[in-house]
Amino acid sequence: MLTFSFFNKTNYTFEGKKDGEQVILFLHRHWWTIANRILIIVIAAFAPFVVAVAFGQILIAQNLMAIFAFLWASYYLLLWFFLFYILTIYNLNSWIVTNLRIIDQHQRGFFNQEVAELSLVNIQDVSFKMEGMIATMMNYGNIEVQTAGNDQKFRFSSIPNPQHVKDEIMKIADSVKGHNGVFNPIENPQVKQ
């Protein structure tokens, strides 16, 4: 187990991390939100077998097995690409809550990334919503962070345990505001590693 211990230990580094900035929460969408897409790919992987069983005799009689094998391999390559794409986008879309700010990293395709950030000092209100039976049973929902002024709301979509995340963000924001915008991690050791 010691060999793979590096998978569990992290300092949560990211591009643009400031000196003294500590990651409080590192969030992805709930795993259930991509499970249906992966299930579709798994079911689609059986389609060539169905075609082979249903039309195997015709393919052999017409001497089309080589073409069918090529199409089968191409089809699996395409499924592999879609699976890789789904998992990559899932992992690259994240929300980072630090002791100074909230960072929204949104990946729209392989070569299109949007990054927005919000200072914790500007937070006025945080709310969450869990809609539907599955979201309630699986404990995931959406979070909205309202800021001062005319700024748009920050939205976290399909986050696991939204009540806990909302409480943590409000606790950190209140702590920052209580120190006139200066967060002191020695006085407030809330970092969860």
Side-chain angles (χ1 to χ4, degrees), residues 20-24 97-101 120 172 176 183 185 191:
E21 189 170 22
Q22 299 172 338
V23 175
I24 310 297
V97 179
T98 72
N99 58 334
L100 303 175
R101 58 193 170 146
L120 291 174
I172 299 162
V176 168
F183 180 81
V191 179

Side-chain angles (χ1 to χ4, degrees), residues 139-187:
N139 193 22
Y140 71 89
N142 301 330
I143 295 176
E144 287 188 355
V145 180
Q146 181 67 46
T147 60
N150 294 331
D151 295 339
Q152 292 182 346
K153 294 180 180 180
F154 252 50
R155 285 183 169 68
F156 296 35
S157 300
S158 304
I159 297 296
N161 201 356
Q163 173 73 45
H164 171 73
V165 173
K166 177 192 95 57
D167 293 343
E168 284 294 313
I169 292 172
M170 284 305 295
K171 185 167 46 172
I172 299 162
D174 290 343
S175 175
V176 168
K177 291 175 186 176
H179 290 89
N180 295 324
V182 178
F183 180 81
N184 186 346
I186 296 171
E187 293 178 18

Side-chain angles (χ1 to χ4, degrees), residues 45-96:
F46 290 104
F49 292 106
V50 173
V51 171
V53 169
F55 301 104
Q57 295 299 326
I58 297 170
L59 292 171
I60 292 171
Q62 297 294 322
N63 202 16
L64 297 174
M65 284 306 290
I67 294 172
F68 180 71
F70 173 75
L71 292 175
W72 190 333
S74 299
Y75 179 74
Y76 275 137
L77 185 62
L78 193 62
L79 287 181
W80 179 255
F81 170 79
F82 284 133
L83 179 64
F84 177 74
Y85 179 81
I86 289 167
L87 294 175
T88 300
I89 297 302
Y90 173 79
N91 282 315
L92 292 178
N93 283 337
S94 62
W95 295 271
I96 304 169

